[in-house]
Amino acid sequence: MNTRLHIERLVLDESLVAGERPAAVSEAITQELSRRLALPGTAQALLGLGNAASRRPIALPPPSHPGDRLGRRIADAVHQSLVPAGPGDAGGRRP
């Protein structure tokens, strides 16, 4: 299966960035989404979407700990918008 995800525009409030470099945030989003899209069951869930031109917005999860980086949190929100968590599923988040 070939999955292509295009994020046309991402607007971040300066207070969210908290000193992180934009390139580092972008790289973290790419890495984390790639990891999540490769998880078992994700391909099947994406098949149900078909060709989706857009998805509804989802809230950015709050940091789960002081070192929780913005890129990972954005990847959480994007993944949840594509593959909603099922019962007993933590939305694919790593502890």
Side-chain angles (χ1 to χ4, degrees), residues 7-95:
I7 299 174
E8 187 171 314
R9 184 173 183 203
L10 179 63
V11 178
L12 301 173
D13 187 290
E14 190 175 335
S15 65
L16 288 174
V17 178
E20 291 187 54
R21 292 185 358 261
V25 172
S26 177
E27 186 176 321
I29 294 169
T30 300
Q31 288 177 352
E32 187 65 13
L33 274 175
S34 295
R35 184 190 72 77
R36 288 168 183 264
L37 292 174
L39 291 172
T42 301
Q44 190 64 32
L46 290 174
L47 284 173
L49 288 177
N51 186 4
S54 65
R55 300 297 298 155
R56 67 175 180 79
I58 192 163
L60 185 66
S64 58
H65 54 81
D68 203 2
R69 308 300 287 186
L70 180 60
R72 182 171 165 190
R73 292 171 46 221
I74 292 170
D76 279 347
V78 172
H79 186 262
Q80 287 174 25
S81 129
L82 296 171
V83 184
D89 181 8
R93 279 196 69 114
R94 290 183 295 192

